[in-house]
Amino acid sequence: MNDLRDLYQEVILDHNKRPRNFRVLPQPTHHADGVNPLCGDRVSVFLDIEEGVIRDISFQGAGCAISSASASLMTEALKGKPVNEIEHLFEAFHTVVTSNAECPKGLGKLSVLAGVRDYPSRVKCATLAWHAVRAALEQHKQPVATE
Amino acid sequence: MSALPAFTNAPAENTELDLTGIRADFPILRQRIHGKPLVYLDNAASVQKPKVVIDAISECYSSYYANIHRGVHLLSERSTMAYERTREKVRAFLNAASIQEIIFTRGTTESINLVASSFGGSTVKAGDEIVITGMEHHSNIVPWQLLCERTGAVLKAAPFTDAGELILEEYERLLNSGRVKLAAFVHISNALGTINPVKTMVDLARARSIPTLIDGAQSVAHLTVDVRDLDCDFYAFSGHKIYGPSGVGVLYGKQSLLEAMPPYQGGGDMISLVTFEKTEYADLPNKFEAGTPNIAGVIGLGAALDWLSALGLDTVAAHERLLLDYATAQLLEIPGLSIMGTAQQKAALVAFTLQGIHPHDIGTILDREGVAIRAGHHCAQPVMQRYGVPATARASFAVYNTRDEVDALVKALWKVKELFA
Ligand SMILES: Cc1ncc(COP(=O)(O)O)c(C=O)c1O
């Protein structure tokens, strides 16, 4: 049970129960869906980017505690950040959830997901929302991606 | 036992007595996972292998392996004999009329693709219809979708009730269009456990001269299948779900249909004469077995069928019925747990959700308790959509599972609830 607490930390359980920024942005500048084909989980992310800064960010979707909490924590971490910091942050986050390297500095609350590194099958859950954000940014000029 | 419906003719004590011997046949079951005894309840995904199967494969490679059907030397003869003996074992196991009706494939998926490509490709035209059910595994959906895309045919799915039972009248209504070229349906649903009334379904199709294919991936290890009694045209199953190795499976097909069908793949072993102008195909079953097959795998499958037949499918079914009833009763004691798939005729698997807790999290936490289950959509996304859930957790049983293991599952689920409280 103790090692499970390393994965399911209080912060994660809390963000799972009460996800932050869990809504649809009415007029996002960027939007994309991420799907985990393994489990069918789906997350939609919405970004409002102005002059290279993430003014607002939100998400919707149904997923496990790890993917929901990770999406929620990600929105908190990215809100107000310059777009060109996302990639760096994602790399640092990816390192934390996949390797035993020391936690890179500056990750803040995101580092509560470090426990995922002991559960290789769950890495995709933790990174799903991040992949969706990157996909949203790649569809640059389109104001809203529609399905 | 008291909470259970009484089973007058199911010898619970005997079954449990036998289990020690049965479990001893499975080397893998003796291990601990994260320090806890392994409780393997992911048998619908793939079942573990008895030692006789492992030994048969090992013996093939260590004492008589060679390519088959093409050597004059002794090893090739011995390999060919062992390979072909399995074909006879499969024939007997399914009660098929002839060994020419038994085709070895890579598994259920390839068996269905073979029929879609060869039978479908040669008989299905634009405007024709293929009828399936709403509870199919993706492997009995996608090959037909591909065929429909190629030909302009239309795929129709017969719906099922909230309990997970096929609505026979709807199925029959779909057969009535006069355009149906094949009815293809699952015998036992891997997502719900429903045992479909396949004999009736075949009869309804046959009355309209519609050929039938049964996806038997989940059935052959749990109940007796008699293809002549069923009178289906095709029956598909996988070795790895019947205590045999992965990478090998079977397609049963009626000889008259198989003879009329063009080959599926071209290559060695499936020809009788090749010139650059023309090729004459080999007779059944070789026409459908191009290239060097999974020789040791087929031999391993033969050993699995021997093992299972010696145990007896009636014994297996009785024991699994007890496990299902016990597990169902125990699981329903857990507040917030709902079971998806409550058909009257049901195989020994329980798909469930826990309110407010995603199946993936259940799966991870159970794993730490040594309990292996499946969490996800079980390659049956239309079924998930039918119930409006992204995924379920699924415990599925094999003959070696015990009531103690059901208890371990239930205990672990309480831990899940505790952690997420
Ligand atoms: C009902 C059903 N059909 C088909 C398959 C596909 O079997 P295979 O992956 O062995 O080809 C499965 C396996 O999960 C199944 O449960």
Side-chain angles (χ1 to χ4, degrees):
Chain A
M1 204 70 172
N2 279 341
D3 52 347
L4 276 168
R5 287 273 179 216
D6 290 342
L7 177 65
Y8 293 105
Q9 303 210 5
E10 280 310 325
V11 179
I12 292 179
L13 294 172
D14 175 54
H15 274 257
N16 175 50
K17 232 183 223 160
R18 298 185 302 117
R20 321 297 199 269
N21 302 305
F22 189 74
R23 63 202 155 90
V24 179
L25 289 190
Q27 298 212 297
T29 54
H30 296 72
H31 161 231
D33 293 334
V35 208
N36 184 347
L38 209 70
C39 54
D41 285 355
R42 179 177 278 274
V43 61
S44 303
V45 297
F46 306 87
L47 296 110
D48 203 346
I49 296 174
E50 231 175 276
E51 289 166 7
V53 174
I54 302 170
R55 295 279 171 225
D56 205 356
I57 176 168
S58 71
F59 81 104
Q60 286 267 284
C64 61
I66 303 301
S67 74
S68 299
S70 176
S72 173
L73 286 160
M74 177 195 76
T75 58
E76 281 195 330
L78 291 185
K79 202 181 274 193
K81 286 251 166 35
V83 173
N84 59 19
E85 277 184 25
I86 294 179
E87 202 54 27
H88 174 72
L89 211 53
F90 174 69
E91 262 163 40
F93 177 70
H94 198 262
T95 307
V96 163
V97 295
T98 52
S99 82
N100 279 323
E102 204 154 295
C103 242
K105 294 247 171 336
L107 269 180
K109 257 204 245 168
L110 289 175
S111 59
V112 298
L113 283 154
V116 170
R117 61 174 57 165
D118 294 327
Y119 299 79
S121 66
R122 305 304 297 276
V123 170
K124 285 212 171 100
C125 309
T127 53
L128 181 62
W130 288 89
H131 285 295
V133 163
R134 292 169 99 210
L137 292 176
E138 269 161 31
Q139 307 165 351
H140 260 324
K141 298 279 179 282
Q142 279 166 267
V144 189
T146 45
E147 262 72 38
Chain B
M1 192 65 212
S2 54
L4 291 173
F7 271 91
T8 41
N9 57 356
E13 267 71 41
N14 287 352
T15 334
E16 275 171 37
L17 207 75
D18 286 340
L19 277 187
T20 328
I22 291 172
R23 289 183 69 82
D25 284 346
F26 291 81
I28 205 169
L29 296 180
R30 280 173 224 149
Q31 69 186 294
R32 298 175 86 82
I33 300 288
H34 304 301
K36 312 267 167 61
L38 166 64
V39 175
Y40 187 78
L41 301 179
D42 194 18
N43 296 288
S46 204
V47 80
Q48 301 298 348
K49 321 303 172 199
K51 188 152 187 308
V52 283
V53 170
I54 302 166
D55 287 348
I57 295 167
S58 164
E59 200 212 338
C60 166
Y61 281 130
S62 52
S63 66
Y64 63 89
Y65 176 81
N67 211 330
I68 55 166
H69 297 151
R70 49 186 89 173
V72 291
H73 55 82
L74 182 64
L75 292 186
S76 178
E77 277 171 18
R78 287 183 61 197
S79 278
T80 305
M81 269 171 56
Y83 182 88
E84 291 300 329
R85 256 201 310 275
T86 299
R87 203 186 302 277
E88 166 52 27
K89 286 175 189 175
V90 174
R91 186 211 61 74
F93 187 76
L94 296 177
N95 193 31
S98 130
I99 54 166
Q100 297 183 305
E101 301 182 317
I102 306 300
I103 317 282
F104 289 122
T105 63
R106 282 196 300 126
T108 308
T109 302
E110 191 180 44
S111 297
I112 297 173
N113 275 279
L114 188 161
V115 176
S117 168
S118 169
F119 173 82
S122 59
T123 55
V124 173
K125 304 274 175 303
D128 287 347
E129 292 168 1
I130 310 283
V131 169
I132 59 173
T133 78
M135 61 176 102
E136 301 304 323
H137 187 277
H138 293 165
S139 66
N140 199 31
I141 303 174
V142 185
W144 308 117
Q145 285 174 332
L146 290 170
L147 175 67
C148 289
E149 264 170 38
R150 273 200 306 276
T151 57
V154 183
L155 187 63
K156 302 254 162 127
F160 56 88
T161 65
D162 287 345
E165 289 172 331
L166 184 78
I167 306 174
L168 264 180
E169 302 74 46
E170 292 291 323
Y171 165 76
E172 190 171 6
R173 198 177 55 76
L174 290 179
L175 296 180
N176 277 338
S177 73
R179 294 185 293 273
V180 180
K181 282 286 154 56
L182 182 79
F185 41 83
V186 70
H187 194 164
I188 293 179
S189 157
N190 66 309
L192 300 166
T194 308
I195 305 177
N196 276 315
V198 284
K199 193 163 162 56
T200 309
M201 294 169 78
V202 171
D203 286 347
L204 288 168
R206 180 142 325 284
R208 295 157 179 84
S209 304
I210 298 167
T212 48
L213 175 146
I214 301 177
D215 170 355
Q218 292 295 340
S219 14
V220 282
H222 307 282
L223 46 80
T224 304
V225 172
D226 180 330
V227 289
R228 270 190 285 180
D229 176 56
L230 287 173
D231 202 23
C232 57
D233 294 280
F234 301 103
Y235 197 98
F237 74 87
S238 301
H240 69 99
K241 296 196 203 261
I242 186 167
Y243 304 97
S246 56
V248 54
V250 167
L251 174 68
Y252 158 82
K254 274 194 184 155
Q255 189 161 348
S256 54
L257 278 169
L258 290 176
E259 270 168 358
M261 284 156 55
Y264 170 50
Q265 294 177 329
D269 252 7
M270 52 74 72
I271 47 85
S272 62
L273 179 76
V274 175
T275 66
F276 284 117
E277 286 71 44
K278 185 177 167 16
T279 293
E280 283 172 29
Y281 304 126
D283 290 334
L284 291 176
N286 300 28
K287 180 169 91 175
F288 290 108
E289 290 181 14
T292 301
N294 186 348
I295 299 165
V298 164
I299 290 165
L301 172 61
L305 295 182
D306 287 344
W307 180 85
L308 186 57
S309 303
L311 192 59
L313 273 163
D314 292 342
T315 309
V316 172
H319 173 63
E320 291 181 351
R321 178 77 221 175
L322 278 177
L323 283 178
L324 174 66
D325 290 334
Y326 183 63
T328 305
Q330 295 301 306
L331 288 171
L332 286 174
E333 301 267 311
I334 299 175
L337 185 144
S338 15
I339 292 178
M340 212 173 78
T342 49
Q344 284 289 318
Q345 298 295 318
K346 194 178 162 185
L349 69 85
V350 187
F352 60 92
T353 54
L354 266 181
Q355 199 178 3
I357 308 175
H358 192 279
H360 246 188
D361 298 312
I362 300 175
T364 292
I365 298 165
L366 259 49
D367 176 59
R368 291 282 145 159
E369 297 299 316
V371 181
I373 59 147
R374 175 98 184 253
H377 54 59
H378 316 292
C379 296
Q381 284 181 332
V383 175
M384 304 298 122
Q385 287 149 15
R386 164 73 173 72
Y387 289 100
V389 297
T392 64
R394 180 187 69 190
S396 54
F397 301 96
V399 68
Y400 46 62
N401 288 127
T402 66
R403 287 151 65 89
D404 287 349
E405 290 182 307
V406 173
D407 294 339
L409 165 70
V410 171
K411 205 167 139 221
L413 284 169
W414 278 105
K415 291 216 164 146
V416 175
K417 287 189 67 88
E418 204 182 300
L419 192 74
F420 272 77

